[in-house]
Each structure stands twice: as structure tokens, then as C-alpha cells.
Amino acid sequence: IGVVAYQWQWQFVYAPEGVRWEDCGAPENKGACVTVIGVPPPGGDRTDWQPPQMHVPVDETVELQMHATDVIHSFYVPAFLYQRDITPRKDQVIQFLADREGTFRGQCTQFCGLLHQAMEFEVVVESRDAFNAWLAEELTPPPTPSPAPSTSAEPGASQAPGETVTIKISAQGIAFDTD
């Protein structure tokens, strides 16, 4: 899993076998990778905010390839008793094994700027089946959108290609500035 730390969030990149996480943006890998991108809480309000989640299978060794794009960050999951600094231009590779299922809070512990407090994430440790189901769901493209509604002015009328449609709009009780 590629872990990218940047001011002021996290990104988790899941690449398929044989593809480097750094190459997930290449056109030939479109649709093959899953990328979870964290977004800081708007205005710092965490009321309805969800930190980004990194999903991992339980009882399996997971390798994290960690990269910082701007300043020093620190990957820390208190429940795992593990912390690692991530320095720009000096990537870190770590491995860990989570031995119980659950959702565990993580955070950056290196002051990295004004929104440092927003650098939270969660590690979701789940069964291999649940992990595979999550990955498959994330890789499933969204459904094709429905066709655009008719733009004809009259209900039930059809419009020929290239035909101009005129829509009459009126408003009552509206005062307009005439200066």
C-alpha cells in the first residue's frame, strides 16, 4: 500500500500485483488501482467529517511504502504501538501485522503546519473476505448516468436534433434594480 502524507492529509494507494503504487496514475493502469484521498474537514469542523480509511486484512503482513510530498510527517497508530517519521525525498518502507479486527485511529505526530490537527486517519482491519469485498467495490466503476431529460418546452413534445427550444420564464412580485 502506498501511503502519501501531505499538508494536511493522507492518501492510501492500493496497486495490483506487478504495478508500483507510484504508477497508478498512468493511463495503462486506469481502473486497476484504488486510491483513498483524505480531505481536511471544511473550516476545521469535524462534526460530520470522516477521516480517510486504510483497509488491511487481519493476520497478514502488510507492507506500507511511505512518502511525504512537502514536510516531515509521522505515521502513528497508537493501538499498534508503532510510529514512523516520513521525510520528503527519503521514502520509508515498513511492514506490520494486525492481529485483531477493528477500526483503529491513526494520526500524524509531527507538527506539519497550521492544519496539523486534521492529519487523522483510520486503519480498518478486517477479514480477508471483507477486505476483498471492499477492494472489489472500490474497483467497480460507477453506473452509467441516465440520459439527459428532454429539453422541449412543451410537456410530451419531442425536439428534432439542432432545433432551437424556447422556454418562457416569468416571475411575479420581483423588483429589479433599474438604475
Side-chain angles (χ1 to χ4, degrees):
I1 302 171
V3 176
V4 181
Y6 55 93
Q7 291 178 313
W8 286 279
Q9 253 318 307
W10 300 91
Q11 180 175 319
F12 306 116
V13 183
Y14 297 79
E17 194 68 39
V19 176
R20 293 171 357 121
W21 71 266
E22 299 96 326
D23 297 332
C24 279
E28 64 270 17
N29 295 323
K30 184 176 182 179
C33 301
V34 171
T35 302
V36 176
I37 300 174
V39 178
D45 180 12
R46 294 183 173 136
T47 305
D48 295 318
W49 177 72
Q50 173 67 46
Q53 292 184 328
M54 177 174 62
H55 288 250
V56 300
V58 69
D59 292 326
E60 293 185 32
T61 300
V62 175
E63 182 175 282
L64 303 182
Q65 298 175 11
M66 300 189 296
H67 173 80
T69 63
D70 40 31
V71 298
I72 298 174
H73 296 279
S74 190
F75 181 90
Y76 178 51
V77 182
F80 297 171
L81 298 176
Y82 192 83
Q83 179 178 353
R84 178 62 60 102
D85 287 347
I86 314 168
T87 305
R89 296 178 306 279
K90 187 175 181 186
D91 292 356
Q92 297 281 339
V93 177
I94 66 163
Q95 293 182 342
F96 72 92
L97 184 141
D99 61 359
R100 67 185 188 276
E101 294 184 20
T103 301
F104 304 95
R105 183 176 173 274
Q107 65 190 50
C108 176
T109 57
Q110 187 73 252
F111 180 73
C112 55
L114 296 176
L115 291 177
H116 165 71
Q117 76 279 4
M119 290 211 52
E120 296 177 31
F121 60 93
E122 292 178 342
V123 180
V124 178
V125 181
E126 55 202 347
S127 70
R128 171 48 84 173
D129 288 343
F131 174 78
N132 288 343
W134 172 82
L135 201 55
E137 182 179 330
E138 294 297 312
L139 286 169
T140 303
T144 305
S146 302
S150 171
T151 58
S152 47
E154 299 298 321
S158 62
Q159 174 187 351
E163 181 182 341
T164 301
V165 174
T166 303
I167 300 174
K168 294 180 183 178
I169 300 174
S170 65
Q172 297 177 351
I174 305 295
F176 292 97
D177 222 359
T178 56
D179 292 345

